[in-house]
Amino acid sequence: MMAVVISGTGLYTPTQSISNEELVDCFNQYVEKFNRNHSKDIEEGRVAALAPSDSSFIEKASGIKSRYVMAKEDILNVDVMSPRYTERSNDELSMQAEIGVAAAKAAMLAANKTPADIDLIIVACAYTQRSYPAMAIEIQQALGCGGWGFDMLVACSAATFGIINAANAIRSGTAKTVLVINPEILSPQVNYRDRDSHFIFGDVATASIIEDESTANAEHVFKIISEKPMTRFSNNIRSNIGYMNNCSPEHVNDVDKLFIQQGRKVFKEVLPMVSELITSEMAKMELGANDIKRLYLHQANSTMNNFIAKKVLGREPKSHEAPIILDEYANTSSAGCIVALHKNKQGLVTGDKSVLCSFGAGYSACCLLLEYV
Ligand SMILES: CC(C)(COP(=O)(O)OP(=O)(O)OC[C@H]1O[C@@H](n2cnc3c(N)ncnc32)[C@H](O)[C@@H]1OP(=O)(O)O)[C@@H](O)C(=O)NCCC(=O)NCCS
C-alpha cells in the first residue's frame, strides 16, 4: 500500500483572548444580579440561589487558563454573555471560511504547496456556520484551488476522521494532495451562564496537508503508519442546535441547544476507552511504550491527558512527551490535537513514532500512529 503523509500543518489563532479571571468576573456579576433579582424566591425556597464560579477551580479541574475567541466583548458583557458578530453579506467571505483560509495558507506554506497542487478540500469540524454551500467549496474558491471539496462533522474527532478520509481519497486515486481544514468556532455554543461549562471552549483553526510520501517535500513529514477510528453512541456530550429548531419554537431557547455534558461521566467512560484504543493499536503495530516519542492528544482536560499518557507509557509522562496546549487555547474540539502537533514537532528524528489521538462527543475517538520521516 502507498504511504500517505501529513506534510504540513497550519494554525490560525484569533487575536482576542479571555483569561479565567475575566470570565469568572463576568459570571459572578451575573450570579450576583440573578440572586439579587430573585432574592424573595430564593429566601422562600422557590428558586435555588446560583453559586459563583472560581478561576482556581477551573485551572485545577481542567488545566485551562485562557481561551482565544473571535469576539470577546459581548461574552464579557453581563447583559449579553454570548459572542456577537456582524452578519456578512453573501458576497463576503464568511467568518469560518476566513479563518480556514488563514490556517490553510499556513499549512500550504509549511508543505511547500500552492493552490494548484490541491485537488480536494475537506472541512472537518464540530459545526459549520451554515448547511450549504459547503464551507469547503467557499474555501476552495477563496484559495483558487481546483478539484472538489466537502464538509464533515464528527465533533471532537472531525480532524482525525478528516485525515483518514483524505488518506483514503489518496489511496483510491480520487485525490493527490488534500487540505483538511478545521475551523473550530466554538464560543457560540457555550452557555456562559452555566457554572459547570462556561470555561471549557475556545476558537481556533488548523489545517493539514495530506499527500503521498513520494510527492512530499517539506521540513516536517509524518507518515501515517496505522489508523483506528471508532464511535459509540452517548448522550453525555450533546448539542441539539439544528435546522429543525424553528419547528418547535417553544423550545428554541432551551439550554440543550447549547453545549451540555456530564463531565464526570465523560471522564469515567472515555478514559478507559481511549487508553485501550491507543494501546491496542500500538500492540497491532508491535510498538512498545519506549517506541512512542510524542502523544498528541485531544485537548479537553489536562488530568485526562496525563492519565492516558501514563497508561500508554507505563510511567509519568514528561511534559514534552504529551504536550498540553489547552492551558492557553482551552478545548478547541477537533483542532486541539492538531494544535498540539503543530506546536511540538521539534526534536523528533527520522523513525520516531507518535500518537495523534482525538476523543469526545459521539462518542467518537481516533488513534493515528505516525512515523517522523
Ligand atoms: C468539566 C470538568 C473540568 C469538571 O471537573 P470535575 O472535577 O468533573 O468537576 P465536577 O463537575 O465534578 O464538580 C466538582 C465540584 O466543583 C464545583 N464546580 C463546578 N463548576 C465550578 C466552577 N466553575 N467554579 C467553582 N466550582 C465549580 C461543583 O459544583 C462540584 O462541587 P461539589 O463537589 O460541592 O458538588 C471535567 O469533568 C472534565 O473535563 N470532564 C471531561 C470533559 C470532556 O472531555 N469533555 C469532552 C468535551 S468535547
Side-chain angles (χ1 to χ4, degrees):
M1 194 161 53
M2 69 171 34
V4 176
V5 299
I6 302 172
S7 56
T9 54
L11 172 66
Y12 168 82
T13 301
T15 54
Q16 301 177 34
S17 164
I18 299 178
S19 68
N20 285 349
E21 289 70 23
E22 289 174 292
L23 201 63
V24 164
D25 182 56
C26 176
F27 181 88
N28 289 349
Q29 283 176 47
Y30 159 71
V31 167
E32 250 180 55
K33 202 170 150 186
F34 179 94
N35 289 347
R36 198 171 50 243
N37 290 344
H38 295 84
S39 58
K40 198 161 186 307
D41 287 334
I42 291 170
E43 242 171 64
E44 292 170 8
R46 285 186 296 276
V47 169
L50 296 182
S53 184
D54 176 0
S55 52
S56 59
F57 165 85
I58 295 171
E59 189 175 337
K60 194 159 166 276
S62 68
I64 297 167
K65 297 178 187 166
S66 60
R67 70 284 295 141
Y68 293 98
V69 292
M70 298 301 293
K72 165 176 181 170
E73 191 177 337
D74 286 314
I75 294 173
L76 298 180
N77 176 347
V78 71
D79 296 320
V80 185
M81 296 181 81
S82 170
R84 289 281 180 264
Y85 312 133
T86 307
E87 192 160 302
R88 300 183 185 186
S89 80
N90 290 356
D91 298 327
E92 293 174 280
L93 192 63
S94 45
M95 182 190 277
Q96 199 175 22
E98 183 180 294
I99 68 169
V101 163
K105 285 183 173 169
M108 286 194 289
L109 193 66
N112 282 312
K113 299 291 170 204
T114 68
D117 297 312
I118 308 298
D119 51 5
L120 170 58
I121 295 179
I122 302 175
V123 165
C125 50
Y127 297 90
T128 50
Q129 76 173 71
R130 60 168 184 265
S131 299
Y132 50 84
M135 303 310 302
I137 303 175
E138 187 180 1
I139 292 175
Q140 177 193 21
Q141 172 173 272
L143 291 174
C145 300
W148 56 305
F150 64 87
D151 296 349
M152 52 173 280
L153 308 179
V154 206
C156 299
S157 287
T160 49
F161 281 29
I163 290 172
I164 290 181
N165 269 350
N168 287 337
I170 293 164
R171 290 174 190 132
S172 71
T174 44
K176 281 193 162 61
T177 308
V178 187
L179 241 177
V180 179
I181 309 175
N182 324 109
E184 295 285 17
I185 302 181
L186 298 161
S187 48
Q189 74 161 351
V190 177
N191 181 353
Y192 286 101
R193 295 186 179 86
D194 176 45
R195 181 174 176 253
D196 290 344
S197 64
H198 74 118
F199 53 88
I200 291 180
F201 291 99
D203 302 332
V204 83
T206 52
S208 312
I209 300 284
I210 316 298
E211 62 181 314
D212 181 71
E213 188 179 11
S214 64
T215 59
N217 159 36
E219 189 187 353
H220 299 288
V221 177
F222 294 86
K223 180 159 66 179
I224 300 170
I225 57 171
S226 86
E227 56 214 50
K228 181 72 184 167
M230 64 156 292
T231 50
R232 185 200 298 166
F233 186 75
S234 169
N235 273 322
N236 288 334
I237 314 169
R238 193 160 175 131
S239 162
N240 284 333
I241 192 87
Y243 80 101
M244 295 201 287
N245 290 160
N246 285 338
C247 308
S248 311
E250 67 281 20
H251 291 297
V252 81
N253 291 318
D254 289 359
V255 290
D256 71 342
K257 305 302 177 294
L258 298 168
F259 166 87
I260 47 172
Q261 78 164 351
Q262 306 289 329
R264 278 277 142 163
K265 282 193 189 162
V266 174
F267 220 100
K268 268 205 187 134
E269 293 176 6
V270 167
L271 279 183
M273 188 178 91
V274 172
S275 306
E276 161 65 19
L277 177 72
I278 299 174
T279 48
S280 59
E281 200 57 14
M282 283 166 55
K284 188 180 100 190
M285 297 305 292
E286 299 181 349
L287 295 177
N290 291 338
D291 297 312
I292 300 298
K293 297 295 182 258
R294 298 280 156 85
L295 288 150
Y296 301 116
L297 300 177
H298 176 56
Q299 302 280 319
N301 183 297
S302 55
T303 310
M304 216 163 166
N305 286 18
N306 195 54
F307 181 97
I308 294 168
K310 223 166 133 180
K311 268 261 183 248
V312 171
L313 299 177
R315 59 174 167 79
E316 207 60 53
K318 297 189 184 98
S319 60
H320 73 276
E321 290 176 315
I324 292 291
I325 59 92
L326 64 87
D327 53 347
E328 180 184 345
Y329 284 82
N331 184 337
T332 50
S333 192
S334 81
C337 59
I338 308 295
V339 180
L341 181 145
H342 177 82
K343 286 180 163 267
N344 294 280
K345 297 169 180 167
Q346 302 305 329
L348 292 173
V349 298
T350 302
D352 279 353
K353 311 288 189 301
S354 307
V355 170
L356 178 66
C357 183
S358 63
F359 43 88
Y363 297 130
S364 61
C366 181
C367 173
L368 291 156
L369 293 177
L370 307 176
E371 180 180 320
Y372 193 75
V373 178

